[in-house]
Amino acid sequence: VTQTAGDPTVSRKGDHIDIILGQDVRARVNGWDDVHLVHEALPEVDLDEIDTRTTLLNHDLEAPIMVASMTGGYPGAKAINERLAAAAAAHGFAMGVGSQRAMLKDPSQAPTYEVVREHDVPFIAANIGAPQLIAQGDTKPLETRDILRLIDAIDADALIVHLNYLQEVVQPEGDTRAAGVWHAIEHLVKEAPVPVIAKETGAGLSATTAARLVESGVAAIDVGGLSGTTFAAVERVRAERAGAAAHARLGELFRDWGIATPVALREALTAECEVIATGGLRHGLDVARAVALGAHCTGLASATLAAASQSAQAVEALMDQLVAELRTGMFLSGASTVDELRDRPVVVTGAVREHLLALGHDPTALGHGRRRPGSA
Ligand SMILES: Cc1cc2nc3c(=O)[nH]c(=O)nc-3n(C[C@H](O)[C@H](O)[C@H](O)COP(=O)(O)O)c2cc1C
């Protein structure tokens, strides 16, 4: 049954973009400020010779950068996805679309996602929420054929399953059943024709959770850590507007809930899979920091959104700047390739250091980030 644009999933998607563009919904502390590359006064590599190329699940990228899953599913999303995809294609970045639940509910929204395939993006990820893999109230779990439709619609190279229980619990209409999700992911991995990536959405994940996800068969993990956009704050604004005071208070209290992205990254790197670091990355220097800390790829969501809501040129300029900042960070730390950057020393200070120590990591041994799983 085709539903109208009055469908709650469809209008929620538009709310999210407006709130994230218009309000302060970031974590109060950004963990990337605690991560420092060490200056190399003798880089012994020409700036022009620096090579940012890498791979993500065997797809070639021009840089270890992904436009993180954000949108689709409401009329205004088409232009945003189109601009992001055009620029991602031009720069050789990976890209994820936002949750595709809206196009299952309202097939007329499919073009807002499908538009990304009009551009030659080297790696495109489909997206669905883990809560939708199990029954929620009267709503049945998604079936395999639904998931296949989502993958087919954008000819996706991978399927992202997002974990967002912080958001769901603050949302007055949230889906808070969670028992059985691990089995549902395990089942999905078997049925999906493309690799599955498990992704948090701003609260991060631990080494134990990463290990369980790898056991379920996922090919990669996006740690989606705390440092940038926090959906506790986003849903707080929505709850306030809806007059749901108790939920608004939950959103305020849990605004800084989660595992900071640099900590979640080191935790996830203990599992045998490729790891994407998303959450709070503001510029190409944060990308360089994340790679030096061991990330195989990085993801930027809100940092790209303002430009994407303006114009194609604004997105192009932003991505040029990101690459220039990454290259500068590599040059000044004496890394001529992404693999070398992953082996450069990193100094970790402040709260991130304390968290790493408390979790049993050795912050003095950082900068020898793990190579790609299975590589020599
Ligand atoms: C407007 C917006 C919508 C988002 N929607 C999704 C989504 O549908 N699926 C998903 O996996 N993550 C979604 N996210 C989460 C991001 O992919 C990312 O994990 C999170 O925003 C942290 O990154 P940031 O600090 O760079 O924004 C969304 C983020 C934003 C800003």
Side-chain angles (χ1 to χ4, degrees):
V1 185
T2 303
Q3 298 186 18
T4 65
D7 179 274
T9 310
V10 172
S11 70
R12 187 161 61 231
K13 290 281 126 192
D15 288 354
H16 286 156
I17 299 280
D18 291 343
I19 292 168
I20 288 161
L21 285 174
Q23 316 246 351
D24 179 11
V25 288
R26 324 201 101 226
R28 291 182 187 89
V29 175
N30 190 316
W32 296 111
D33 288 331
D34 282 337
V35 179
H36 312 269
L37 289 162
V38 178
H39 176 59
E40 176 52 77
L42 264 178
E44 286 294 334
V45 54
D46 300 342
L47 178 61
D48 285 348
E49 295 302 312
I50 285 179
D51 184 354
T52 62
R53 286 175 302 170
T54 190
T55 61
L56 176 60
L57 294 176
N58 299 317
H59 292 257
D60 293 325
L61 304 183
E62 290 297 318
I65 298 176
M66 174 160 191
V67 177
S69 317
M70 275 188 290
T71 200
Y74 77 103
K78 191 174 175 189
I80 294 179
N81 273 338
E82 153 103 85
R83 290 168 191 154
L84 289 170
H91 287 78
F93 296 172
M95 176 174 175
V97 298
S99 169
Q100 290 170 272
R101 169 152 67 143
M103 66 167 272
L104 290 176
K105 289 184 153 194
D106 178 359
S108 76
Q109 296 302 327
T112 65
Y113 303 93
E114 287 160 355
V115 67
V116 299
R117 261 303 164 208
E118 288 167 25
H119 300 276
D120 194 12
V121 183
F123 182 98
I124 290 184
N127 192 290
I128 195 66
Q132 277 67 66
L133 301 179
I134 60 171
Q136 300 286 346
D138 295 337
T139 310
K140 292 206 177 86
L142 293 180
E143 292 176 27
T144 300
R145 59 185 170 140
D146 297 324
I147 308 276
L148 296 181
R149 256 171 69 201
L150 304 183
I151 295 168
D152 269 4
I154 57 169
D155 189 17
D157 300 300
L159 169 66
I160 289 177
V161 177
H162 71 255
L163 302 160
N164 67 330
Y165 281 108
L166 172 60
Q167 173 179 20
E168 298 290 353
V169 78
V170 177
Q171 232 176 61
E173 75 278 22
D175 292 330
T176 50
R177 285 203 54 240
V181 162
W182 185 88
H183 274 293
I185 294 175
E186 189 192 34
H187 178 71
L188 181 64
V189 166
K190 292 198 181 100
E191 302 277 309
V194 293
V196 174
I197 302 175
K199 172 178 178 296
E200 239 291 348
T201 47
L205 40 80
S206 67
T208 319
T209 304
R212 281 166 62 213
L213 288 166
V214 167
E215 201 188 316
S216 78
V218 306
I221 289 175
D222 183 332
V223 300
L226 173 70
S227 280
T229 309
T230 158
F231 274 88
V234 175
E235 294 300 343
R236 183 200 129 182
V237 176
R238 288 188 64 248
E240 259 165 13
R241 288 180 183 169
H247 280 89
R249 276 199 297 278
L250 279 180
E252 176 59 21
L253 181 62
F254 285 85
R255 174 165 174 177
D256 293 295
W257 176 270
I259 303 172
T261 314
V263 177
L265 170 60
R266 293 305 302 189
E267 287 274 281
L269 283 166
T270 61
E272 271 302 304
C273 70
E274 294 192 16
V275 180
I276 305 167
T278 303
L281 284 82
R282 298 156 291 194
H283 39 58
L285 177 54
D286 283 342
V287 171
R289 289 167 172 157
V291 171
L293 215 50
H296 301 105
C297 190
T298 66
L300 291 90
S302 57
T304 67
L305 189 59
S309 66
Q310 283 165 22
S311 66
Q313 292 82 346
V315 185
E316 281 287 329
L318 174 86
M319 291 191 181
D320 282 346
Q321 186 66 24
L322 275 178
V323 173
E325 291 161 349
L326 169 61
R327 294 176 66 85
T328 303
M330 291 174 72
F331 181 56
L332 294 178
S333 38
S336 61
T337 64
V338 169
D339 272 349
E340 279 180 31
L341 178 60
R342 207 173 279 127
D343 274 343
R344 300 307 297 159
V346 189
V347 174
V348 179
T349 57
V352 169
R353 181 185 186 84
E354 284 179 27
H355 273 84
L356 286 172
L357 279 168
L359 291 168
H361 298 268
D362 178 1
T364 56
L366 296 181
H368 306 284
R370 292 219 347 257
R371 302 233 164 219
R372 214 162 281 280
S375 72

